[in-house]
Amino acid sequence: MSLLITPEIKTSVKLFQSLMRIVNKNKEESLLSKLELDGITISEAKIQSPGYLSSVIRTIEALERASTIEKVNMLKELFILGDSTGLIEKRPDFYQEILSIFSELSYREILILFYLNEGGLPYTDDLHVKEPERVADDDSLPNPQEQYEEAIQYCAYQVTVNSDVLGALLGRLSRTGLIGNAPEWTSLVYFFTPLYRDLKQFFAKEFHGT
């Protein structure tokens, strides 16, 4: 993910760096005391916003649980995007929902989602997935079963696991609600859910009107 460097993003980067120092120091002071001690300047509107402060707390907690530098970098970009665009302040619940999903995912699981998307995995609400009889009657429509198998093969190759192992990992990934089964297809076949589409739109900044 690449971000256009703007003054807002630079400010968010500084704030994130301060959050990282807070995590590393692991002090017992209250959140606000930590922020003040670390010299973070937050506007009065943000200080008065329980949702914003709650999002900062959740971000700190997620950083404390992150076990790899790749995961920390993912959380960093998520925070910078959410803060610099004003999303955290305006829609803290949505930011925290996304943060919760990322906190639960391992870095390998994040890669799996990325490669499944690159491999062309369809969505549960795609018309040809919801109405499989259309596939039988219209040769111009892709076959969801074949799309799934192609996405699995592509993803397995990229993350260097065999298809059986990847299938087990998909079962675990379904707990996030980002992938799931479609009632018209066997439970062994997974598709992206609309929630994954929302996640993609978030990173594409479609939620910010840009």
Side-chain angles (χ1 to χ4, degrees), residues 44-206:
E44 190 66 27
K46 288 182 178 180
I47 290 177
Q48 292 177 351
S49 168
Y52 182 86
L53 290 180
S54 175
S55 296
V56 171
I57 292 172
R58 299 287 86 79
T59 302
I60 290 175
E61 292 174 346
L63 288 168
E64 290 175 333
R65 293 192 298 270
S67 57
T68 65
I69 187 62
E70 292 88 357
K71 187 70 173 290
V72 169
N73 287 336
M74 286 278 189
L75 293 170
K76 173 183 177 180
E77 294 200 30
L78 174 64
F79 177 83
I80 292 171
L81 180 60
D83 186 64
S84 63
T85 58
L87 179 75
I88 295 178
E89 189 173 1
K90 296 173 184 175
R91 299 182 61 189
D93 290 343
F94 181 64
Y95 170 78
Q96 290 182 41
E97 180 182 3
I98 295 175
L99 179 64
S100 175
I101 291 172
F102 267 89
S103 297
E104 189 177 348
L105 293 171
S106 68
Y107 181 63
R108 182 167 71 164
E109 288 174 327
I110 292 172
L111 287 179
I112 287 172
L113 291 169
F114 175 80
Y115 288 125
L116 286 175
N117 181 70
E118 274 201 341
L121 187 70
Y123 289 81
T124 56
D125 61 351
D126 284 344
L127 187 60
H128 67 297
V129 173
K130 292 170 57 179
E131 301 181 17
E133 65 277 3
R134 287 175 174 262
V135 176
D137 297 336
D138 189 345
D139 292 338
S140 67
L141 292 175
N143 186 303
Q145 177 76 40
E146 293 176 357
Q147 287 181 298
Y148 167 78
E149 292 173 356
E150 290 172 1
I152 287 294
Q153 291 175 5
Y154 176 80
C155 182
Y157 175 78
Q158 295 295 333
V159 297
T160 63
V161 298
N162 63 50
S163 298
D164 291 337
V165 172
L166 183 56
L169 292 171
L170 293 184
R172 291 179 54 192
L173 266 171
S174 64
R175 75 190 187 279
T176 65
L178 296 174
I179 64 172
N181 304 124
E184 299 81 10
W185 299 89
T186 171
S187 61
L188 297 178
V189 176
Y190 291 95
F191 302 103
F192 284 127
T193 67
L195 179 59
Y196 183 78
R197 184 183 291 116
D198 289 347
L199 197 68
K200 284 182 59 180
Q201 289 174 336
F202 169 74
F203 285 109
K205 299 188 180 182
E206 291 182 18

Side-chain angles (χ1 to χ4, degrees), residues 8-66:
E8 291 80 11
I9 286 179
K10 289 181 179 179
T11 299
S12 297
V13 169
K14 291 180 181 178
L15 179 53
F16 185 88
Q17 291 170 342
S18 294
L19 296 183
M20 281 300 303
R21 287 193 291 271
I22 291 168
V23 171
N24 292 332
K25 289 176 184 177
N26 196 27
K27 293 184 177 180
E28 296 180 355
E29 293 90 342
S30 67
L31 174 64
L32 286 177
S33 296
K34 289 180 181 180
L35 293 175
E36 291 170 0
L37 286 172
D38 212 51
I40 297 176
T41 301
I42 303 179
S43 69
E44 190 66 27
K46 288 182 178 180
I47 290 177
Q48 292 177 351
S49 168
Y52 182 86
L53 290 180
S54 175
S55 296
V56 171
I57 292 172
R58 299 287 86 79
T59 302
I60 290 175
E61 292 174 346
L63 288 168
E64 290 175 333
R65 293 192 298 270

